[in-house]
Amino acid sequence: MSLDRSRRPEEGAAGEPGPGERWGAADEVRPSGAPLTDLDPDSAPALSLGGATHYPGPPGARPLDDDAYALLVANRAEAIAPILDAAGPGAQAGPGAPAGPGFRPALGPGLIVALDVDGTILDRDGRVSDRLHAALSRLTATGAQTVVSTGRSVFASLPVAHHIGVRHGWMVCANGALTLRLDPGLERGHEVIDSVTFDPAHVISTLRQAIPEGIFAVEVPDEGFLVTRLFPDGELIEDQRVVSHEEIISRPVNRVVLRAPAMGLEEFSALVRSTGSSTVEEYSIGWTSWLDVAPEGVSKATALAGLAARLGTDASQVVAVGDGTNDIEMLRWAGLGVAMGSAPESVKASADIITESVWHDGCAAVLDALVDLLSTRSLRAAEREEL
């Protein structure tokens, strides 16, 4: 089981505003049902990308100053270097040695950097920091491939990918159920290269008996969601179309979403789990009464493994960064798994290293450290060859 990207806390949780209360700038995210098809990510307000409101940061949180950020980059490099050394030529297997193929990256198109979105790339207001933009530009200049890897739908993921400059390449959506190839030359700017579906009838029927007041939704790639009722305002930036129960179970789907806005998380979780693990394939509960159900055996890790094989590489050339429990499998699989500082303990325990939070540019620091390390090692190797 893995937990999906978190939603807004329930009313009263940790003193944060509840549904219907003001969240400051984050409230300006496009309302539920507002289409994003006209969005130009290069000129549109960053808030159109949605926000990671589940990790607002401590009171008064501010970005690190330049000196503190430089120190963070150096510290992340110190954490990554031993992992590179352990998997290098002549490394001996034994206690403490990396599992699987280890981490043997090289700057260039063989290096894949898989990035979660909410709480990793985006802060609570749906913004990408200047430092992260700069770090991604440095990474792209080396030829490495940045892959957005998210629980979001295609509809909500594309503006984020475009905003960070990923218009060619690959993207993993719906927690691994969908893999896309991005290319501006294609009719829609992208095409689905892998789609894993399942029959939602049994899952929805069983969950409906347990939580009859719930709202059910299924994702239709490039269109939005079919829903049994509209979701609360601001919770979906995709289009929504209300349909009957019969229609929502009439076709194979990539995922099922269940939302119970009036129910507390503890009660919701207990009711979901009371249906039995055989009820659903891969399910994930967020920070509110929100459930994602994915096809059996599908995760961000399985999608990335398939993509790596397609590209002629493997986990040893993959860096993955995430902050949610739906990232656990991805962090364990990648040659280098990095947990954000705001991640739950279970996520941190699954990672090779831990970086700072999104509000302290933790992802940017890892990317800068990686480019610095690999550039230095490549230069030294070239100098040795000349001797």
Side-chain angles (χ1 to χ4, degrees):
M1 181 181 71
S2 60
L3 306 189
D4 188 35
R5 66 186 178 93
S6 307
R7 309 286 165 167
R8 295 182 180 184
E10 299 290 358
E11 184 172 6
E16 296 294 340
E21 298 183 44
R22 293 294 296 170
W23 278 81
D27 284 329
E28 298 172 27
V29 175
R30 290 192 180 203
S32 168
L36 291 175
T37 52
D38 62 337
L39 177 62
D40 178 358
D42 291 331
S43 60
L47 291 178
S48 297
L49 303 176
T53 57
H54 52 293
Y55 289 136
R62 295 289 185 273
L64 299 175
D65 62 34
D66 290 343
D67 289 342
Y69 179 72
L71 180 60
L72 175 61
V73 172
N75 286 341
R76 295 311 83 210
E78 289 180 2
I80 296 170
I83 300 172
L84 288 171
D85 293 337
Q92 298 296 315
F103 183 49
R104 298 188 294 273
L107 291 177
L111 175 60
I112 297 173
V113 178
L115 302 178
D116 172 51
V117 172
D118 297 289
T120 300
I121 295 175
L122 297 184
D123 65 15
R124 65 158 290 175
D125 293 330
R127 293 187 174 93
V128 180
S129 75
D130 291 342
R131 282 181 179 141
L132 184 51
H133 272 301
L136 286 167
S137 294
R138 286 187 71 203
L139 182 70
T140 300
T142 70
Q145 303 190 65
T146 300
V147 177
V148 171
S149 183
T150 178
R152 287 185 172 211
S153 69
V154 173
F155 206 52
S157 304
L158 282 169
V160 178
H162 293 169
H163 185 69
I164 64 172
V166 181
R167 294 176 180 269
H168 292 85
W170 313 89
M171 185 167 70
V172 169
C173 300
N175 284 323
L178 288 162
T179 302
L180 278 67
R181 183 175 73 90
L182 307 181
D183 183 344
L186 296 171
E187 182 178 357
R188 302 182 65 93
H190 66 274
E191 63 178 345
V192 175
I193 63 166
D194 190 28
S195 174
V196 185
T197 62
F198 66 105
D199 183 347
H202 176 64
V203 169
I204 291 178
S205 176
T206 303
L207 291 172
R208 192 182 185 195
Q209 291 179 20
I211 308 176
E213 67 271 40
I215 307 172
F216 288 91
V218 296
E219 180 183 348
V220 180
D222 294 322
E223 294 181 28
F225 282 96
L226 304 181
V227 299
T228 54
R229 297 199 315 274
L230 291 178
F231 276 56
D233 284 348
E235 289 198 346
L236 290 178
I237 61 176
E238 300 90 344
D239 283 332
Q240 300 176 69
R241 180 163 67 88
V242 178
V243 299
S244 66
H245 172 74
E246 289 70 27
E247 184 172 352
I248 211 166
I249 64 172
S250 65
R251 68 177 89 177
V253 299
N254 299 108
R255 67 167 167 168
V256 170
V257 177
L258 167 61
R259 178 76 168 101
M263 186 176 293
L265 177 58
E266 185 175 347
E267 179 185 5
F268 178 79
S269 300
L271 286 172
V272 168
R273 292 180 174 121
S274 74
T275 63
S277 59
S278 61
T279 301
V280 297
E281 280 72 5
E282 298 289 338
Y283 71 93
S284 50
I285 299 174
W287 289 68
T288 63
S289 301
W290 176 296
L291 173 79
D292 266 2
V293 184
E296 183 177 7
V298 168
S299 69
K300 295 181 183 182
T302 60
L304 289 169
L307 177 58
R310 173 185 287 267
L311 298 176
T313 185
D314 57 29
S316 68
Q317 297 287 314
V318 179
V319 180
V321 188
D323 73 320
T325 44
N326 62 327
D327 294 315
I328 286 177
E329 294 89 347
M330 176 177 76
L331 300 185
R332 288 175 174 168
W333 171 81
L336 177 66
V338 182
M340 299 294 288
S342 48
E345 290 304 316
S346 59
V347 179
K348 293 178 181 178
S350 303
D352 298 296
I353 67 170
I354 301 167
T355 189
E356 269 283 2
S357 60
V358 66
W359 53 87
H360 282 165
D361 288 309
C363 182
V366 167
L367 301 185
D368 278 334
L370 185 67
V371 172
D372 288 346
L373 267 176
L374 295 182
S375 297
T376 299
R377 290 182 176 222
S378 177
L379 179 60
R380 290 174 179 171
E383 290 173 346
R384 285 195 298 268
E385 289 180 1
E386 292 178 357
L387 295 178

